[in-house]
Structure formats: C-alpha cells, structure tokens
Amino acid sequence: MCLMLMSTLVVPSERSMYPFLWGGIAGYVAFALIADGPLTWDTSVAVFYLFGISLFVIDYRRGIETDLREQFMLDIVHKDSSVKLFEILGYMLPPFIVTNLLKDPGGIIAESIDQASILFVMMEEFDQLASRTSP
C-alpha cells in the first residue's frame, strides 16, 4: 500500500491520496472482520501501523510536491529574468553576442581571426575641412 501511495503513476497528487488511504484501511478492517470475526489486538495494531505508514507517505509526497512547485516557480522567474536581460542587452550588443553571453556568462565573446588587414587613410587638409563643418 505504501509503494502504491508513493507512486506518482497510481496517485498523481497528494489530495487524491486520502480516498486511497481510507479505502485501504477500511478494506483491511472489513477483510479482517470477515476472515477473523471481531477485531483482535493483532488487527488493531496492523490497522494502526498501516495508518501511521500512510500518514508518513502522505507527508513525504507533500514534501516532494512542495519542492517541485518551488523549483517550477524558480524556473519561471529565471526564464523571465533571462528574457528581460536579453532585451536589455539587445539594445547594446548584436544578437549573436547576446546569445553567446547568455549561454556561457563567463566565456570569451571574442572570435579568433587568422588574418586581418589594416588600412590607414590620410586625408589632405582634414583639419581645415573638419573646422569648417559642424558636428
């Protein structure tokens, strides 16, 4: 019964465990009454033991569901903050650099280039031309 209550395939949520719990205990008591007659000390101890184990299982499942719910909420907050960060960085940097930054925050964003050419341009009378025009 404990394994059945712990399995998420049989009982998907904590709220749906209570009918299984009470149904299992009632079924055990009914079987004991039919098989043995009036309730004996052994039957009472077994029912108490089943009830205690079932409560433990329900508490265990409640803890798991709470942890999963908290993790889900943290994932949503993380996703929202990543979207906001992508939008903010999208105004400052090209999209391919933003995606690399978000994938690997501590990584290197510079690309290696095997060869490069540098062109120096010298304009005659640039100073005079620049002083005559407005910025």
Side-chain angles (χ1 to χ4, degrees):
M1 185 169 162
C2 289
L3 292 176
M4 180 182 75
L5 289 174
M6 289 178 83
S7 171
T8 56
L9 297 175
V10 176
V11 184
S13 71
E14 172 202 342
R15 291 182 184 153
S16 59
M17 290 175 76
Y18 292 109
F20 281 100
L21 170 66
W22 293 111
I25 291 174
Y28 183 79
V29 169
F31 177 75
L33 285 174
I34 291 170
D36 297 335
L39 288 177
T40 61
W41 175 252
D42 294 341
T43 307
S44 301
V45 170
V47 168
F48 181 75
Y49 179 73
L50 280 174
F51 183 72
I53 292 293
S54 299
L55 288 179
F56 170 76
V57 169
I58 288 173
D59 186 51
Y60 178 77
R61 285 280 304 267
R62 181 182 294 133
I64 290 174
E65 287 181 13
T66 302
D67 291 344
L68 288 174
R69 193 174 301 118
E70 288 175 2
Q71 184 64 41
F72 177 73
M73 294 305 293
L74 287 174
D75 289 344
I76 288 175
V77 169
H78 179 70
K79 182 181 175 185
D80 290 343
S81 64
S82 293
V83 168
K84 289 178 185 176
L85 183 63
F86 185 79
E87 289 174 358
I88 291 170
L89 288 175
Y91 290 115
M92 296 183 276
L93 301 169
F96 67 92
I97 292 179
V98 174
T99 54
N100 289 342
L101 277 174
L102 292 177
K103 286 180 186 175
D104 187 16
I108 299 171
I109 58 171
E111 297 176 8
S112 69
I113 299 174
D114 295 332
Q115 296 179 353
S117 299
I118 300 174
L119 176 66
F120 291 99
V121 177
M122 187 112 178
M123 295 178 65
E124 287 186 25
E125 301 175 6
F126 177 76
D127 295 337
Q128 295 168 0
L129 179 66
S131 64
R132 283 186 272 157
T133 58
S134 62

